[in-house]
Amino acid sequence: MLQKLMAYVRENRETVYSLFRCYQSRGKTLILGSELWDEFHVFCQECRDASGLDESPLADALKKTQEAAVVDPWFYLDIRPSVAKWHYLRYHFETMSFEEISVSEFLAFKESLINNGREESILEVDLAPFERDFPKMSQTRSIGHGVEFLNRKFSSRLASELTKGDELLLSFLRVHGYRDTPFMINNSITTVKELRGALMQAVEHLERQSRGLQWHDLEHDLRVMGFEAGWGRSIDGIKKTMMMLSDLLEASDHQNLERFLGRIPMIFNMVILSPHGYFGQDHVLGLPDTGGQVVYILDQVRALEREMKKRIYNQGLDVDPQILILTRLIPEAGETTCNQEEELVNGTENVRILRIPFRQEDGSVLRHWISRFEVWPYLEAFAKEAEKEVLSRLGRRPDLVIGNYSDGNLAATLLARRLEVTQCNIAHALEKTKYLYSALYWQNMEKPYHFSCQFTADLIAMNSADFIITSSYQEIAGSSDVVGQYESYSSFTMPGLQRIIHGVDVFDPKFNIVSPGADAEVYFPFSEHDRRLVGLHGEIEQLIFGREESDSRGWLDDKEKPIIFSMARLDHIKNLTGLVQWFAESEELRNLANLLIIGGTVHPDDSGDSEEREQIEKMHELFEQHDLAGKVRWLGMRLDKNLSGELYRYIADHKGVFVQPAFFEAFGLTVIEAMASGLPTFATRYGGPLEIIEDGVSGFHIDPNHGARAAEILVEFFLRSLETPSYWQQLSQGAIKRVESKYTWKRYAKRLLSLTCIYGFWKYATNLERQETHRYLEMLYHLQFRPLASSISHED
């Protein structure tokens, strides 16, 4: 691509010069890729000398350009020809020269725009040299499938006599146990040759035994051969695990390696961190910084406990797994339980929410809620106190530490490093891609958002994690025309603070796509009448068709119309006000359907979040401006899960739809919930929903930046459903089948535990290979992050 582009620019100097001068004449120093492309089309239509330009290599390059920077005499472009592949170029207006430059040069030019042309020395962060010997993927289709790549790599290592992969596997088996009880093999097996022989002897012995025997019937003989508990409970399970290892030692196979590692008893205790917001089971959803992440974790731990118990039982062990959710204690917690130090998670036996306070410099407890953007000064002390509580309650180190969101991931990094255990990160959402030019103009946003801390913490935590779970490919690497959340950390600059040359590499095999699901006990198809909570229908009808009260605005005059339903936090990124505006401005859509919105509160004074207050006021303005009473119902309340599940189904009974209009959605749990209930779903094309929904089969993609077209798609659907009633049913069934095939918590739990086993082994096998990276990150934490975090506490 680059070679053709350079040749075209040389051969068409005047046309290229005219086009670039056109961009320069706009008077903007920073131009988004979409703006470049729109201006390009105008130029092609108006310029007589632009024949063939729209099909040229330059057109291809501009279509793939993310942004341009212009200051006479320079015009800079960053071109992304494919996922996670970048080229940086600059054009000189006087000499008409065009050349490729380094990422450092490109970022330095952007910094000069902020610094009024001044060049300043700045910290450059480059993690690439430390990672050059660590295996990385090269194919974009492999992104998010890191574990398969690692298994293939280690299978090759097993097959090589020189690398002694089989001895490594033997030594790994020897380290497993629980408290003082060893698992798998004992001290009588000291070499791979002895292990091979013992496995052969054991399998032959098992084949002579009666079916139906269990470990306790066989343990005496197997222990004499060198084996301890952990191979399985039943004779068939024990034999299968032993044969897997025998086959693996004889001829390596990456799929067999994954299956075998998943059968090793490695995971008994788990710690999950989620410090910010109000983490509780009741009366928290909709409170500031509290939403889908809480639902995600509570559903996650229930599924994980079930899967852990099942695995431990099948391994022939009698251990009760424990999961601790570490969050923040908030003494002034209102109606919530967030002021309780400990809370058992409903529907579990040994999953507890453990709340640890944020402490101020004098050791006193911070009593009130603070924004997720202000938690940074408290996380180090939080992690240290968490370490003591974890060791006290578990009596040992956990087998896995999972961080959630930026703050939880940093706390997980600190905790996992001190305990020397496997660390998994889950972002849920990264703020960097939510705000335009958030890194470049970080100083203008520092007071409300403290992005200096957040983006530095993200870099440290992402590169420290042993593996990273994402809900979708989009989250990692975006699409052909949209940069992924993690990819946005590959290189960027924060003028006056740091220039990231190589930050996060999305080709790193630590990335894995493990999509969550909806709670199948709560969110199930509307057609399953025997499971329906019909006793809630009176309450639901009052919610939907009641008159205005203190926690609502608007009502619905025509009860016969199908309902367009949306439910989310009331903040800018979720774009609920955008949906109301699309509806208000489409007369055809208003004639076909009603609109029901559940989000936030209807009273600005009841919100402690400035962004939410702004959206509340905007919602009221839309009601006034378009006279929406009678057509739109807005409920400012939080629903419990059972009520929300039956609400989805009730709306499906009346042939309604669900709309998720966010500007960006990392995954979209409400999308899964609605689809599982059988509601045809229309969701943003930016983020996870692009993968969840098969457009036109299990729902529809909409562009939140083009509201009029989104409204047209809804109109087209309702009209076609009126003409062909089976069409609504077709989309409903498509949604249900899609969720059942790909998005369940059972699938999630099995995959996460398998990943933990595999990355635990990989961490053991390659521990020395990443020590340099960890030392570099430690320096970045102490010399960069800590002073930034400390400055927040001084300000506040």
Side-chain angles (χ1 to χ4, degrees):
M1 173 186 178
L2 203 58
Q3 194 171 4
K4 290 181 179 178
L5 173 62
M6 293 300 191
Y8 180 85
V9 171
R10 284 194 303 270
E11 295 164 7
N12 298 270
R13 288 162 58 90
E14 291 185 12
T15 302
V16 172
Y17 177 79
S18 298
L19 173 62
F20 288 177
R21 286 287 294 177
C22 183
Y23 288 134
Q24 186 187 44
S25 68
R26 291 172 57 92
K28 295 184 67 173
T29 54
L30 291 168
I31 308 174
L32 293 173
S34 57
E35 295 173 317
L36 282 174
W37 191 239
D38 290 344
E39 188 69 30
F40 175 78
H41 282 299
V42 172
F43 180 84
C44 289
Q45 292 168 2
E46 295 180 352
C47 181
R48 287 176 296 178
D49 299 326
S51 177
L53 180 60
D54 56 346
E55 296 180 357
S56 69
L58 181 57
D60 293 339
L62 290 174
K63 192 172 185 179
K64 296 292 185 179
T65 298
Q66 296 299 309
E67 66 177 355
V70 190
V71 170
D72 192 54
W74 293 107
F75 181 52
Y76 281 67
L77 299 169
D78 66 345
I79 302 173
R80 182 176 176 263
S82 60
V83 167
K85 304 289 187 184
W86 294 82
H87 295 295
Y88 304 93
L89 300 104
R90 67 181 177 187
Y91 178 84
H92 194 274
F93 283 105
E94 293 178 7
T95 62
M96 293 193 235
S97 59
F98 202 39
E99 62 180 341
E100 186 172 15
I101 58 172
S102 68
V103 60
S104 183
E105 290 174 297
F106 178 76
L107 295 177
F109 182 74
K110 288 176 68 176
E111 291 158 15
S112 72
L113 303 181
I114 308 303
N115 298 329
N116 296 317
R118 300 189 313 274
E119 290 188 14
E120 295 183 351
S121 297
I122 190 171
L123 170 68
E124 283 198 345
V125 177
D126 186 354
L127 286 155
F130 301 104
E131 299 282 303
R132 59 176 166 266
D133 295 325
F134 200 83
K136 298 288 176 70
M137 302 175 294
S138 59
Q139 303 294 322
T140 56
R141 66 175 180 272
S142 298
I143 293 173
H145 302 284
V147 73
E148 289 88 345
F149 174 80
L150 289 183
N151 285 338
R152 288 195 297 271
K153 281 289 179 183
F154 194 79
S155 292
S156 299
R157 186 168 176 176
L158 272 175
S160 171
E161 285 285 336
L162 296 174
T163 53
K164 306 295 182 184
D166 45 5
E167 273 101 352
L168 185 58
L169 196 53
L170 169 63
S171 65
F172 183 67
L173 289 175
R174 294 175 64 87
V175 303
H176 291 294
Y178 188 80
R179 301 192 188 279
D180 297 325
T181 304
F183 295 152
M184 305 305 284
I185 61 175
N186 56 41
N187 292 332
S188 64
I189 296 176
T190 59
T191 68
V192 174
K193 183 178 179 181
E194 290 174 351
L195 177 59
R196 289 176 190 267
L199 286 168
M200 185 180 300
Q201 181 185 5
V203 170
E204 289 176 354
H205 174 74
L206 292 173
E207 286 177 342
R208 295 193 296 269
Q209 306 306 308
S210 302
R211 297 287 300 273
L213 294 181
Q214 296 194 345
W215 169 260
H216 62 80
D217 302 310
L218 304 159
E219 65 178 319
H220 179 269
D221 292 339
L222 292 176
R223 192 163 276 144
V224 170
M225 297 177 198
F227 299 106
E228 297 291 337
W231 293 91
R233 182 169 296 272
S234 69
I235 188 171
D236 288 342
I238 297 167
K239 188 165 61 175
K240 185 174 183 179
T241 307
M242 289 184 168
M243 291 174 68
M244 273 186 187
L245 180 56
S246 293
D247 292 344
L248 200 56
L249 294 173
E250 184 173 331
S252 62
D253 172 77
H254 71 275
Q255 293 177 330
N256 193 28
L257 176 65
E258 181 172 342
R259 286 192 293 268
F260 174 70
L261 291 175
R263 295 173 77 93
I264 298 177
M266 295 168 58
I267 313 157
F268 305 97
N269 302 305
M270 194 179 294
V271 170
I272 297 173
L273 290 104
S274 181
H276 77 257
Y278 291 84
F279 197 104
Q281 300 182 79
D282 300 299
H283 309 299
V284 297
L285 296 183
L287 293 176
D289 291 343
T290 309
Q293 180 175 317
V294 174
V295 177
Y296 179 109
I297 294 172
L298 291 174
D299 286 345
Q300 173 199 49
V301 294
R302 293 186 184 101
L304 285 171
E305 186 187 53
R306 286 193 294 270
E307 183 63 23
M308 289 167 72
K309 289 174 68 175
K310 177 183 173 183
R311 288 193 180 206
I312 292 169
Y313 179 84
N314 289 337
Q315 287 159 350
L317 305 174
D318 297 310
V319 177
D320 291 323
Q322 295 187 69
I323 301 176
L324 294 177
I325 301 171
L326 301 183
T327 188
R328 183 197 161 197
L329 180 75
I330 307 175
E332 297 174 8
E335 301 178 345
T336 76
T337 58
C338 297
N339 56 0
Q340 296 180 13
E341 291 186 3
E342 187 173 329
E343 186 179 351
L344 179 69
V345 173
N346 300 331
T348 71
E349 294 180 15
N350 288 301
V351 182
R352 286 176 170 77
I353 301 169
L354 182 60
R355 297 186 177 92
I356 295 165
F358 283 171
R359 296 189 185 277
Q360 306 200 70
E361 291 183 0
D362 61 2
S364 62
V365 172
L366 188 67
R367 300 189 58 79
H368 57 275
W369 168 87
I370 58 171
S371 163
R372 68 187 186 276
F373 298 114
E374 298 172 347
V375 301
W376 306 108
Y378 305 99
L379 294 180
E380 186 172 319
F382 174 89
K384 287 179 180 177
E385 195 166 339
E387 179 187 0
K388 295 175 185 176
E389 290 289 343
V390 167
L391 293 175
S392 172
R393 289 167 187 272
L394 297 181
R396 66 193 295 270
R397 297 183 302 171
D399 302 303
L400 176 67
V401 172
I402 301 178
N404 291 273
Y405 190 71
S406 298
D407 49 67
N409 288 335
L410 183 68
T413 298
L414 299 174
L415 187 60
R417 186 181 298 167
R418 289 174 64 90
L419 295 174
E420 297 182 335
V421 297
T422 304
Q423 175 193 348
C424 168
N425 285 358
I426 305 174
H428 296 283
L430 292 167
E431 301 291 340
K432 187 170 176 292
T433 52
K434 290 183 182 179
Y435 301 86
L436 187 62
Y437 298 126
S438 56
L440 192 63
Y441 289 103
W442 70 274
Q443 294 178 77
N444 297 343
M445 307 181 192
E446 186 67 356
K447 183 61 179 174
Y449 298 124
H450 300 292
F451 285 150
S452 62
C453 280
Q454 182 146 16
F455 298 167
T456 306
D458 284 336
L459 276 175
I460 294 168
M462 290 174 196
N463 285 286
S464 296
D466 295 296
F467 67 104
I468 295 173
I469 291 295
T470 72
S471 299
S472 65
Y473 180 94
Q474 307 287 321
E475 196 176 332
I476 310 170
S479 61
S480 60
D481 56 347
V482 177
V483 178
Q485 289 188 72
Y486 282 98
E487 186 188 354
S488 74
Y489 282 81
S490 60
S491 61
F492 62 96
T493 183
M494 303 180 78
L497 181 66
Q498 56 197 7
R499 181 188 301 159
I500 311 302
I501 304 302
H502 294 287
V504 173
D505 185 353
V506 298
F507 290 100
D508 193 305
K510 69 175 57 180
F511 287 99
N512 290 274
I513 301 166
V514 185
S515 301
D519 186 339
E521 296 301 311
V522 176
Y523 304 103
F524 54 86
F526 72 101
S527 56
E528 296 184 16
H529 301 291
D530 292 345
R531 301 176 64 191
R532 295 285 299 271
L533 304 176
V534 293
L536 294 175
H537 285 199
E539 183 177 350
I540 289 172
E541 287 173 5
Q542 179 60 31
L543 286 174
I544 297 175
F545 299 113
R547 306 301 289 180
E548 282 188 341
E549 297 175 357
S550 61
D551 56 2
S552 69
R553 175 149 192 192
W555 61 88
L556 304 177
D557 285 331
D558 189 343
K559 294 184 178 183
E560 299 304 315
K561 288 181 182 178
I563 293 171
I564 299 169
F565 176 42
S566 191
M567 179 167 58
R569 294 192 315 275
L570 198 59
D571 59 22
H572 171 73
I573 202 74
K574 295 297 185 181
N575 196 32
L576 289 182
T577 54
L579 172 58
V580 173
Q581 186 163 349
W582 309 343
F583 181 83
E585 293 175 352
S586 172
E587 182 180 359
E588 202 169 3
L589 187 56
R590 294 198 311 274
N591 290 334
L592 286 167
N594 290 318
L595 176 60
L596 173 65
I597 297 288
I598 298 180
T601 172
V602 297
H603 305 292
D605 294 342
D606 289 346
S607 173
D609 184 279
S610 59
E611 187 174 299
E612 184 182 46
R613 285 196 299 272
E614 181 182 316
Q615 291 297 303
I616 293 168
E617 289 166 357
K618 184 175 180 180
M619 190 76 85
H620 284 296
E621 289 173 8
L622 289 168
F623 267 82
E624 297 292 342
Q625 181 182 350
H626 297 282
D627 189 23
L628 295 177
K631 304 176 185 67
V632 179
R633 174 82 160 158
W634 170 27
L635 300 174
M637 60 177 60
R638 300 179 294 276
L639 306 183
D640 67 42
K641 288 177 65 174
N642 287 321
L643 184 58
S644 67
E646 192 60 30
L647 176 59
Y648 284 123
R649 290 187 289 272
Y650 183 93
I651 292 171
D653 288 337
H654 296 82
K655 300 298 183 285
V657 301
F658 183 79
V659 178
Q660 206 273 31
F663 288 114
F664 181 83
E665 183 62 61
F667 181 62
L669 277 177
T670 55
V671 171
I672 296 293
E673 292 167 359
M675 292 173 67
S677 304
L679 271 178
T681 300
F682 300 70
T684 179
R685 64 185 298 271
Y686 297 112
L690 188 64
E691 290 176 42
I692 296 171
I693 293 173
E694 301 163 293
D695 193 46
V697 177
S698 55
F700 297 89
H701 301 146
I702 56 174
D703 189 336
N705 300 302
H706 295 88
R709 177 56 191 149
E712 287 175 7
I713 293 172
L714 282 159
V715 167
E716 290 164 6
F717 173 80
F718 283 120
L719 288 175
R720 185 169 175 184
S721 296
L722 287 171
E723 294 168 3
T724 311
S726 62
Y727 183 63
W728 186 96
Q729 191 68 32
Q730 176 186 326
L731 269 293
S732 173
Q733 285 301 308
I736 293 168
K737 289 177 181 177
R738 179 67 172 171
V739 171
E740 288 176 347
S741 67
K742 290 204 68 173
Y743 301 102
T744 68
W745 282 112
K746 183 177 181 180
R747 291 168 59 92
Y748 175 100
K750 291 176 70 172
R751 187 61 174 160
L752 177 55
L753 293 182
S754 294
L755 289 174
T756 303
C757 294
I758 295 160
Y759 281 93
F761 173 61
W762 190 257
K763 182 183 180 75
Y764 179 85
T766 64
N767 190 41
L768 294 177
E769 296 178 27
R770 281 197 161 174
Q771 279 192 0
E772 292 178 344
T773 303
H774 291 312
R775 285 298 184 191
Y776 188 89
L777 295 171
E778 244 181 73
M779 182 180 67
L780 189 62
Y781 175 81
H782 287 283
L783 299 183
Q784 189 77 324
F785 175 81
R786 289 187 84 200
L788 291 168
S790 178
S791 68
I792 297 176
S793 61
H794 292 156
E795 291 171 10
D796 300 336

